[in-house]
Amino acid sequence: MVKRQRKLVANNKKARHDYFIEEVYEAGVVLTGTEIKSVRQGKVSIKESYAKIENAELILYGMNISPYEQGNRYNVEPLRPRKLLLHKQEIRKLIGYTTMKGLTLVPLTMYINEDGRAKVEIAVARGKKNYDKREDIAKRDAQREMDRRMKDRF
């Protein structure tokens, strides 16, 4: 298996902390010329973003792409909704997931693949309760402590 090259542009670390990830999809993003230039510079934030399905299209809300400095009048609004590109059967599957109670669509990462195209990993996620978050933190701390003890042992 050949590992594909991709340049990570934005990462949503909070998503894995706040949600149980059920399934992950790779989607293309419809961008304008100056937006892709800002994305290549890494001026993207997906922390507060989420996706919705409207009229059988997947739309990403809340993704902030800073305006390109040399873009002048060609720059668009940084927080505008952006269309995501998926196959029709994948969108139908996502419609089924989102109609279930408690499931939502959250972006995990944004990257540029080897072809120079911007892609977003969208996850079908279920929200965690506070006690779930504390449980995950306790497991992580216990694992870290075990690793530390094993390292000292040898």
Side-chain angles (χ1 to χ4, degrees):
M1 187 170 140
V2 177
K3 179 89 170 159
R4 291 191 273 170
Q5 290 288 342
R6 60 187 207 178
K7 178 188 172 201
L8 187 65
V9 178
N11 194 5
N12 191 355
K13 295 177 187 174
K14 198 82 171 145
R16 294 194 190 275
H17 182 261
D18 290 341
Y19 299 97
F20 292 114
I21 306 301
E22 306 283 329
E23 211 169 318
V24 178
Y25 293 92
E26 179 186 61
V29 187
V30 177
L31 299 172
T32 65
T34 57
E35 282 182 318
I36 190 65
K37 290 180 180 189
S38 285
V39 168
R40 287 194 179 116
Q41 290 178 347
K43 297 183 177 180
V44 180
S45 174
I46 58 172
K47 285 187 176 95
E48 300 292 320
S49 59
Y50 62 96
K52 267 188 181 176
I53 299 173
E54 296 174 354
N55 301 327
E57 290 181 341
L58 190 60
I59 310 292
L60 186 64
Y61 292 96
M63 179 170 70
N64 186 357
I65 298 178
S66 298
Y68 183 61
E69 283 95 29
Q70 288 84 31
N72 58 39
R73 67 176 187 217
Y74 297 108
N75 285 333
V76 292
E77 188 179 335
L79 289 172
R80 74 179 181 89
R82 291 170 178 87
K83 184 176 172 182
L84 297 179
L85 305 173
L86 279 175
H87 292 285
K88 211 176 266 189
Q89 68 262 20
E90 290 176 326
I91 291 176
R92 283 192 201 118
K93 202 173 184 184
L94 289 177
I95 289 171
Y97 278 130
T98 54
T99 55
M100 295 170 64
K101 187 164 173 59
L103 291 179
T104 186
L105 301 173
V106 181
L108 297 178
T109 59
M110 183 174 189
Y111 58 90
I112 297 176
N113 68 2
E114 67 272 4
D115 299 335
R117 293 191 163 100
K119 302 283 184 176
V120 175
E121 281 187 350
I122 294 289
V124 177
R126 184 180 309 275
K128 285 185 181 179
K129 304 283 188 239
N130 279 336
Y131 59 84
D132 291 329
K133 293 177 191 177
R134 286 193 295 266
E135 190 177 294
D136 284 350
I137 292 169
K139 283 181 185 175
R140 191 171 50 235
D141 288 344
Q143 182 64 40
R144 196 176 295 139
E145 185 63 30
M146 283 188 345
D147 291 343
R148 201 176 292 137
R149 295 244 170 113
M150 289 301 285
K151 182 181 170 190
D152 292 342
R153 194 173 190 196
F154 293 107

